[in-house]
Amino acid sequence: MIDRLGTCPCCGASWNGGDILDQIKKLDVFTHTAPSDIVKVARSMGWSEENKTSFTKLVVYEVDGIVVLECHNDRCKHVFTADGVDMGSMTEYREAKKLA
Ligand SMILES: [Zn+2]
């Protein structure tokens, strides 16, 4: 399985988007929200005091029925399967499909 909080094997960018609670606190939309309610929002995203999870920067979507994860780095944009198989860049993938 791919480590969604790891680093990209192609460009070395970190995919760790930071602690979910910390990141939510920074959002303008929650400026006037009670701290206890912000914790509830974080909990709804799988975060807890015991298991402080982080956001991933990987972009997740589906191509040809396969769930893929794309590196957020604009200079990389490599796409991986959930098992960590490098499918190359989405541009290369689409070009290869056209030629097939
Ligand atoms: Zn990358």
Side-chain angles (χ1 to χ4, degrees):
M1 288 298 273
I2 202 159
D3 177 5
R4 295 181 184 207
L5 302 176
T7 51
C8 179
C10 297
C11 70
S14 171
W15 292 331
N16 192 327
D19 181 83
I20 288 177
L21 181 62
D22 289 345
Q23 295 304 313
I24 292 174
K25 281 180 185 169
K26 292 180 192 168
L27 299 174
D28 290 342
V29 71
F30 293 120
T31 303
H32 302 291
T33 306
S36 61
D37 286 337
I38 292 176
V39 170
K40 280 183 199 161
V41 173
R43 282 185 178 281
S44 76
M45 295 173 163
W47 183 95
S48 70
E49 205 61 57
E50 305 76 42
N51 183 25
K52 295 184 176 182
T53 48
S54 294
F55 282 122
T56 178
K57 289 183 179 176
L58 281 165
V59 183
V60 182
Y61 55 91
E62 200 179 299
V63 176
D64 298 337
I66 306 165
V67 174
V68 296
L69 306 110
E70 184 181 276
C71 181
H72 67 286
N73 182 350
D74 284 338
R75 292 188 306 273
C76 177
K77 292 281 181 191
H78 265 236
V79 177
F80 305 87
T81 66
D83 293 330
V85 177
D86 187 347
M87 296 167 73
S89 75
M90 197 32 70
T91 310
E92 289 168 3
Y93 180 77
R94 290 211 169 97
E95 287 300 317
K97 290 271 295 183
K98 256 186 255 169
L99 298 171

